[in-house]
Amino acid sequence: MAASTAAGKQRIPKVAKVKNKAPAEIQITAEQLLREAKERELELLPPPPQQKITDEEELNDYKLRKRKTFEDNIRKNRTVISNWIKYAQWEESLKEIQRARSIYERALDVDYRNITLWLKYAEMEMKNRQVNHARNIWDRAITTLPRVNQFWYKYTYMEEMLGNIAGGRQVFERWMEWQPEEQAWHSYINFELRYKEVDRYLALRKTWLLAHARKVYKAVEFFGDEHMDEHLYVAFAKFEENQKEFERVRVIYKYALDRISKQEAQELFKNYTIFEKKFGDRRGIEDIIVSKRRFQYEEEVKANPHNYDAWFDYLRLVESDAEPDTVREVYERAIANVPPIQEKRHWKRYIYLWINYALYEELEAKDPERTRQVYQACLKLIPHKKFTFAKIWLLYAQFEIRQKNLPFARRALGTSIGKCPKNKLFKVYIELELQLREFDRCRKLYEKFLEFAPENCTSWIKFAELETILGDIERARAIYELAISQPRLDMPEVLWKSYIDFEIEQEESEKTRSLYRRLLQRTQHVKVWISFAQFELSAGNEESLTKCRQIYEEANKTMRNCEEKEERLMLLESWRNFEDEFGTESHKERVDKLMPEKVKKRRKVQAEDGSDAGWEEYYDYIFPEDAANQPNLKLLAMAKLWKKQQQEKDAAEQDPDRDMDESES
């Protein structure tokens, strides 16, 4: 009562009522609200205060905070060079040159290839009139990165501005030793002209002209082709290119490619390709690319004639852009490289050269006679006494069929199974004769096939099915009998099933029962018993249920000594399903009494080396019929009774508490 009074005194807050529930004329999205809030936040953000440093202590504190910020940024990501440069420039603004140098040196340890870093470092030294320091930095830069022209230009410009003409000339000389581009030579020549050094200018001009003039061709003749380098030809060609002599350039490149080994002409090919892309037509570009790849493949097959992958790539190239005679020449060169060892694994890649050759002659060259010659030559080459390739025989036979030359195809397949019989050859030959409705030939082929491979159950089944289709039932039954009498079979269960199904189709019940009994003499597998029982059930007469039940009874007695308890359980489950559908209550109770108890057990596990690997849990089945398991069943029954009593006791203890709670409420 008191609780209800207290609840009545509490007031329920009033909820504001919305008078107009119609949607607003202007709708505002959540995205717009967020954007406007962000814009107003920026508008309300006050500008940072201006800090005035009045004494040295505040200055030192400011420096300390800034340095800490820079160091933290560097520590977070050392590879961001902009952080290093900002740090050094800030120190430079404070006239802390020594600190700035230290920062630049630390940055160079991180990335010495960064051009901007070297430039900023040297510019700082020049800005602060530290000439010797700047020279030191430029020397280090051009030594470390001699191909960066910007360093050389800056260095020579600094020396010239300082009036150190001899130093600038020395830098130019060092630069020319690296054989720079043409603009560098022009800069050196203009440098000498500015200071009226005519003799030096003429000597330098002569040196440059000698390096780029057509007299290089005389040098080729003088030194001989064996001492020539591709770079000399490239330089000569570039000179002619600058003079707009494009035909001369092509002649030079082709001349060089004919005389320099292909391994040493990579740079030559590269420059020739670039030239054709700039000044040639599409055909010229394709020719140079094909020529380059052809030379590469030629070098590969010369280095290793048995590199069949290189031959495949080479043949694919010539097939796409060459005349049939050229393609045939390359194929003949390729197939001439017979594997030196007569082992099949060494011939697997090689044999595809012949296959591709034959397919090219048939599909591309449209020459059936040459195709036939290729197949026949290949078959003569293979050592059939040691190994063979069924694919070659089949491809040849299929080719002759496409040419409507059936006798040649039969001759090829007959020769193949005579010289080197294989399952695949027999199957294809039989399939061919079946399509032609030559059943007598099929019988002969099946006989040969089964003489060669009597363990092949599929062949026996196919042979029997053929006779069944032809209506010769006794012949089919004789084939099945001969098959199951073989001492070794690859799939005996499939063969027996096929034989049983055959007798069922012929409605021979007694023969089917006899087959099941013969099979059970060989194996006691649970699936055979279940299949036997289902066969008896399928009879559909009054005795079928009794016979089916008898089969299950017999199977259960037979499998009591079976170590595979799962198979025995499978049999009982199948029996129970049968009784659930067709049996009486007494029959169902009898089968239920035979069902095992599923218990969890533990056993020791041993590792591969024999050591103890601990324990593992597994499920076991205890069958009531096994006399040895009766104590175990009694123990299980007592355990279940005790568990039930404990549950009832716990429930009784909880009931008084529940009654007390209800009375209090």
Side-chain angles (χ1 to χ4, degrees):
M1 183 67 71
S4 61
T5 307
K9 289 181 180 180
Q10 293 180 354
R11 294 183 178 179
I12 300 174
K14 293 183 179 180
V15 180
K17 295 182 178 179
V18 180
K19 295 181 179 180
N20 186 5
K21 295 184 179 180
E25 295 180 359
I26 300 176
Q27 296 291 324
I28 300 176
T29 62
E31 181 182 0
Q32 186 175 356
L33 289 172
L34 292 173
R35 185 171 63 251
E36 289 179 0
K38 190 67 176 177
E39 290 174 355
R40 291 183 181 180
E41 180 183 357
L42 295 175
E43 291 175 359
L44 298 176
L45 189 65
Q50 292 184 355
Q51 185 178 4
K52 292 183 179 181
I53 299 174
T54 57
D55 56 11
E56 186 177 356
E57 184 178 355
E58 290 184 2
L59 178 61
N60 292 334
D61 183 60
Y62 166 73
K63 291 180 180 179
L64 181 62
R65 281 187 284 106
K66 289 290 288 183
R67 284 175 182 142
K68 186 177 183 303
T69 303
F70 282 121
E71 291 291 345
D72 289 342
N73 291 336
I74 290 170
R75 194 179 301 110
K76 289 175 184 175
N77 196 343
R78 290 169 53 84
T79 58
V80 178
I81 301 301
S82 60
N83 291 337
W84 293 96
I85 294 174
K86 290 177 183 178
Y87 190 8
Q89 288 176 344
W90 180 78
E91 292 288 0
E92 182 188 358
S93 67
L94 298 176
K95 303 301 181 182
E96 294 283 355
I97 305 301
Q98 193 60 35
R99 283 182 175 273
R101 286 195 189 108
S102 176
I103 294 165
Y104 276 121
E105 292 294 339
R106 289 167 58 195
L108 288 173
D109 289 338
V110 174
D111 185 8
Y112 69 91
R113 293 181 177 273
N114 192 289
I115 299 172
T116 306
L117 196 58
W118 288 102
L119 294 174
K120 294 291 184 183
Y121 192 6
E123 286 173 1
M124 181 197 74
E125 298 292 1
M126 291 190 295
K127 193 186 301 181
N128 290 279
R129 300 182 182 278
Q130 300 292 330
V131 177
N132 290 330
H133 281 286
R135 284 196 180 106
N136 184 22
I137 293 166
W138 289 126
D139 280 329
R140 290 167 59 193
I142 62 177
T143 303
T144 307
L145 302 170
R147 294 298 180 186
V148 180
N149 295 335
Q150 197 172 1
F151 293 161
W152 297 98
Y153 285 124
K154 292 273 188 181
Y155 195 3
T156 54
Y157 181 74
M158 184 191 76
E159 294 292 356
E160 190 173 358
M161 290 296 100
L162 293 172
N164 187 7
I165 307 304
R169 186 177 292 114
Q170 187 177 3
V171 174
F172 270 117
E173 290 293 338
R174 290 173 60 188
W175 192 4
M176 296 305 110
E177 291 176 1
W178 286 97
Q179 296 295 320
E181 60 186 14
E182 184 178 345
Q183 185 60 37
W185 288 92
H186 286 302
S187 299
Y188 191 10
I189 293 169
N190 293 334
F191 171 82
E192 297 293 358
L193 280 175
R194 283 196 297 271
Y195 297 99
K196 305 296 190 289
E197 295 288 345
V198 180
D199 294 337
R200 290 181 179 275
Y201 160 75
L202 293 175
L204 185 59
R205 189 75 177 177
K206 183 178 180 181
T207 304
W208 179 73
L209 288 174
L210 286 174
H212 294 81
R214 294 192 183 101
K215 293 181 181 179
V216 175
Y217 184 66
K218 294 182 179 180
V220 174
E221 294 180 346
F222 177 78
F223 290 106
D225 294 341
E226 64 274 7
H227 297 290
M228 285 300 97
D229 185 50
E230 61 174 340
H231 299 289
L232 184 60
Y233 289 107
V234 170
F236 190 16
K238 285 186 176 180
F239 169 78
E240 296 291 353
E241 182 180 336
N242 293 334
Q243 304 301 319
K244 309 297 181 184
E245 296 286 349
F246 300 132
E247 289 302 321
R248 285 178 177 269
V249 176
R250 288 191 180 89
V251 171
I252 292 168
Y253 278 124
K254 291 178 180 179
Y255 178 87
L257 289 173
D258 291 338
R259 284 160 177 77
I260 295 181
S261 64
K262 309 307 177 290
Q263 294 179 349
E264 300 174 358
Q266 300 300 322
E267 191 69 22
L268 200 62
F269 270 116
K270 179 181 176 182
N271 285 278
Y272 190 14
T273 306
I274 294 172
F275 167 77
E276 288 292 347
K277 287 180 179 179
K278 288 166 65 176
F279 304 104
D281 55 2
R282 180 178 178 181
R283 183 64 183 174
I285 297 171
E286 291 177 353
D287 287 344
I288 185 60
I289 294 173
V290 171
S291 177
K292 178 180 178 181
R293 292 176 60 191
R294 185 177 296 174
F295 288 142
Q296 291 175 347
Y297 291 138
E298 282 288 348
E299 291 297 322
E300 288 183 21
V301 297
K302 285 181 182 178
N304 184 7
H306 294 94
N307 184 1
Y308 301 120
D309 291 330
W311 282 110
F312 287 128
D313 295 336
Y314 191 10
L315 288 163
R316 197 177 299 115
L317 175 67
V318 296
E319 282 183 17
S320 63
D321 194 43
E323 296 294 327
D325 291 337
T326 305
V327 178
R328 289 189 181 108
E329 179 186 357
V330 179
Y331 266 116
E332 292 294 337
R333 289 172 54 199
I335 61 178
N337 298 292
V338 182
I341 303 174
Q342 290 189 353
E343 292 181 9
K344 190 170 183 178
R345 59 190 180 91
H346 295 289
W347 285 61
K348 285 184 176 179
R349 295 294 290 165
Y350 169 72
I351 211 68
Y352 276 94
L353 290 172
W354 287 94
I355 293 173
N356 291 349
Y357 191 7
L359 293 175
Y360 172 78
E361 292 291 352
E362 181 185 0
L363 303 176
E364 301 295 334
K366 309 293 184 183
D367 192 339
E369 189 57 33
R370 286 188 66 89
T371 306
R372 186 176 291 109
Q373 292 174 3
V374 171
Y375 278 121
Q376 292 174 353
C378 178
L379 291 171
K380 288 180 182 178
L381 183 65
I382 298 173
H384 299 290
K385 292 183 179 180
K386 295 185 178 181
F387 59 85
T388 190
F389 291 91
K391 191 176 187 68
I392 290 289
W393 291 103
L394 298 178
L395 287 172
Y396 180 32
Q398 291 166 0
F399 161 73
E400 294 293 357
I401 291 171
R402 286 193 295 272
Q403 301 301 317
K404 300 180 180 180
N405 197 343
L406 188 59
F408 275 47
R410 280 178 172 151
R411 186 186 304 170
L413 291 171
T415 306
S416 68
I417 62 176
K419 283 187 175 181
C420 44
K422 295 185 74 173
N423 292 351
K424 191 174 182 180
L425 294 171
F426 277 107
K427 290 177 181 178
V428 173
Y429 197 359
I430 291 170
E431 185 65 25
L432 172 64
E433 298 297 348
L434 278 174
Q435 292 176 358
L436 296 172
R437 300 296 186 267
E438 293 287 346
F439 300 116
D440 290 334
R441 288 179 178 271
C442 291
R443 286 189 175 112
K444 292 179 182 178
L445 287 172
Y446 269 122
E447 290 172 3
K448 293 289 184 182
F449 191 5
L450 293 171
E451 287 177 7
F452 167 67
E455 74 281 357
N456 193 324
C457 292
T458 305
S459 303
W460 288 104
I461 294 170
K462 293 288 185 182
F463 192 7
E465 289 176 351
L466 173 64
E467 296 296 347
T468 305
I469 293 171
L470 296 176
D472 197 340
I473 305 302
E474 291 302 321
R475 191 181 182 94
R477 187 175 286 116
I479 291 169
Y480 274 121
E481 287 292 335
L482 189 61
I484 62 176
S485 65
Q486 297 299 316
R488 187 168 63 89
L489 295 169
D490 54 359
M491 294 185 296
E493 67 280 1
V494 177
L495 180 63
W496 279 94
K497 184 179 183 304
S498 178
Y499 193 4
I500 290 170
D501 292 341
F502 164 78
E503 294 293 358
I504 292 173
E505 289 177 1
Q506 304 304 320
E507 298 181 354
E508 294 286 346
S509 301
E510 290 300 323
K511 291 183 178 180
T512 306
R513 290 189 185 95
S514 175
L515 277 177
Y516 271 115
R517 292 297 178 184
R518 291 166 63 186
L519 179 58
L520 288 171
Q521 291 176 2
R522 300 193 180 196
T523 177
Q524 295 292 327
H525 199 277
V526 63
K527 291 185 178 180
V528 178
W529 286 107
I530 294 174
S531 177
F532 192 7
Q534 291 175 350
F535 161 72
E536 293 292 356
L537 181 63
S538 64
N541 52 34
E542 296 179 355
E543 298 178 357
S544 61
L545 297 178
T546 304
K547 289 183 178 181
C548 180
R549 192 173 287 112
Q550 289 175 356
I551 297 297
Y552 277 119
E553 290 276 358
E554 183 181 354
N556 186 40
K557 290 179 183 178
T558 305
M559 297 190 70
R560 284 179 182 175
N561 299 325
C562 179
E563 296 180 357
E564 297 294 330
K565 295 184 178 181
E566 287 81 6
E567 293 186 4
R568 189 175 176 186
L569 176 62
M570 188 187 305
L571 177 70
L572 291 174
E573 287 176 348
S574 176
W575 190 2
R576 183 171 61 183
N577 294 336
F578 161 75
E579 296 295 354
D580 289 342
E581 186 174 358
F582 303 102
T584 62
E585 291 297 326
S586 60
H587 289 130
K588 294 178 184 178
E589 290 177 2
R590 184 174 182 278
V591 176
D592 289 336
K593 290 179 180 179
L594 296 176
M595 297 301 293
E597 289 286 339
K598 185 178 181 181
V599 294
K600 186 185 291 186
K601 293 185 178 181
R602 298 177 65 198
R603 60 188 173 192
K604 281 189 175 182
V605 180
Q606 287 187 347
E608 294 180 356
D609 57 355
S611 61
D612 190 6
W615 295 80
E616 71 172 359
E617 292 184 351
Y618 71 101
Y619 288 100
D620 195 8
Y621 298 95
I622 300 176
F623 292 86
E625 290 183 320
D626 297 341
N629 292 329
Q630 292 298 329
N632 294 334
L633 290 176
K634 291 181 180 179
L635 182 61
L636 285 173
M638 292 173 64
K640 288 182 178 179
L641 180 60
W642 177 83
K643 184 176 181 181
K644 183 178 180 182
Q645 292 174 353
Q646 288 294 115
Q647 291 175 350
E648 292 176 355
K649 184 178 179 181
D650 294 339
E653 290 177 354
Q654 292 176 359
D655 286 341
D657 297 336
R658 191 177 303 166
D659 295 338
M660 188 179 295
D661 293 339
E662 291 177 355
S663 62
E664 288 178 358
S665 61

